[in-house]
Amino acid sequence: MKTLAELQAIRDRMKSQMASRGTADGSDIKIVVGMATCGIAAGARPVLNAIVEEVENRKLTNVKVTQTGCIGMCKLEPLVDVIMPGKEKVTYVHVTPEKARRIVAGHVVNGNVVTEYTVDGEKA
């Protein structure tokens, strides 16, 4: 970073990402990515980035993306929880950036759980 303009560009980019952190009224769809060391080692950072990009590209203002520590199923990392108001939480396993984009499109936008990416739908 060498100029004030570069610093302002970073600030603006971060502000838009922080806007995707959510409100407290409970009406938002929440996407939570497991970012403990096990998740990061399994590839959670590119998954988180893909989700944030997809939400921003689709201009989904009611979707809030957050991260958490260990979700408790390390062998199934990267893990992503989707929590829609009034519905049960859905946990996706072995998520890749490509799967993450499909989860946003299928589940978050269209309301259809992508069952083949869930614990019950996973084929061993």
Side-chain angles (χ1 to χ4, degrees), residues 7-18:
L7 180 60
Q8 288 172 332
I10 292 169
R11 183 194 66 197
D12 292 342
R13 189 174 69 243
M14 296 285 62
K15 279 174 111 178
S16 73
Q17 287 181 2
M18 290 307 293

Side-chain angles (χ1 to χ4, degrees), residues 49-112:
N49 292 339
I51 291 169
V52 169
E53 288 171 10
E54 193 70 16
V55 168
E56 287 176 358
N57 290 343
R58 292 175 176 270
K59 298 178 181 17
L60 302 175
T61 58
N62 67 325
V63 177
K64 305 309 169 197
V65 181
T66 61
Q67 59 188 46
T68 190
C70 186
I71 294 176
M73 300 184 291
C74 299
K75 71 177 188 172
L76 301 175
E77 293 283 0
L79 293 165
V80 174
D81 289 336
V82 175
I83 306 160
M84 299 185 85
K87 300 198 177 185
E88 286 192 39
K89 170 182 75 175
V90 176
T91 300
Y92 291 98
V93 300
H94 298 296
V95 180
T96 64
E98 295 76 25
K99 288 179 180 179
R101 289 183 189 92
R102 182 156 176 233
I103 290 165
V104 171
H107 189 168
V108 176
V109 173
N110 294 316
N112 301 315

Side-chain angles (χ1 to χ4, degrees), residues 23-30 83-86:
T23 60
D25 69 0
S27 64
D28 294 325
I29 297 168
K30 294 175 186 68
I83 306 160
M84 299 185 85

